Amino acid sequence: MQYPEPIAQLIDSYMKLPGIGQKTATRLAFFTIDMQGDDVTRFAKSLISAKRDLQFCSICGNITEEDPCDICRDKTRDQSQVLVVEQAKDIMIMENMREYHGLYHVLNGVLSPIEGKGPEDLNIASLLKRLQQNDAIKEVIVATNATPEGEATAMYLSRLIKPSGIKVTRLAHGLSVGSDIEYADEMTLFKAVEGRTEM
């Protein structure tokens, strides 16, 4: 039996989300159909708003409503440190720790030859330009995930940045090898920042 076209399209839409297969997409589609009309409308509006009203910060690459983002505009933050993360969502995870008060830079991924991702596909050129134009930056903290791709990206960044005289450090391995920052608890992240080492 084939599903009616609106349900089939909804299932197909859910399957485009990461980690969502046919069964989960079908469950989500039927759950959506059972939702109250107002809830579905709010859900649809929030999807449209997130896509329409958000942009990337022209300085750090964070997701923001205003450009530059709140963090880049905040002059009370430590202007001497830039913490480099893979994705914008990693910034919120670090901010929830409430122990890091410097700036950020989002790479939008990591080096991955298998996936065809090279330096030109990442937000690296803007980081280097930012470092050249801002003498206040004394340390770059590389907070890529402890995966082979994350490690390779960290080493690549270190080789690019160190000749400029800026200190390059790496989060300590309080983070489990092979794990993502997204799944670490706040204390693990705090210890990782506290115990970072120079590269």
Side-chain angles (χ1 to χ4, degrees), residues 49-172:
S49 175
K51 193 64 181 168
R52 181 190 59 211
D53 300 335
L54 296 176
Q55 59 186 305
F56 292 105
C57 175
S58 59
I59 297 172
C60 72
N62 189 15
I63 295 172
T64 180
E65 286 183 85
E66 294 180 41
D67 187 24
C69 71
D70 292 343
I71 294 172
C72 288
R73 286 196 317 264
D74 186 353
K75 297 304 177 192
T76 65
R77 295 185 77 96
D78 185 348
Q79 304 292 307
S80 70
Q81 292 181 325
V82 175
L83 193 141
V84 179
V85 295
E86 290 183 18
Q87 304 292 340
K89 64 183 176 183
D90 298 331
I91 291 178
M92 293 314 304
I93 294 162
M94 295 301 291
E95 284 295 288
N96 287 340
M97 181 180 60
R98 294 186 177 87
E99 294 296 330
Y100 175 73
H101 305 290
L103 304 173
Y104 292 95
H105 195 85
V106 181
L107 293 175
N108 287 325
V110 286
L111 297 173
S112 178
I114 293 171
E115 294 177 10
K117 267 201 165 183
E120 65 283 353
D121 299 309
L122 305 180
N123 202 11
I124 294 175
S126 63
L127 172 63
L128 299 177
K129 183 178 177 184
R130 187 177 177 190
L131 298 177
Q132 289 169 352
Q133 294 176 346
N134 190 344
D135 292 336
I137 299 172
K138 305 298 181 198
E139 180 183 11
V140 172
I141 305 164
V142 183
T144 52
N145 293 320
T147 60
E149 295 82 6
E151 293 296 328
T153 304
M155 292 306 298
Y156 180 78
L157 290 174
S158 177
R159 285 197 302 270
L160 286 178
I161 297 167
K162 280 184 102 172
S164 68
I166 296 172
K167 183 179 180 181
V168 182
T169 57
R170 179 91 169 105
L171 287 186

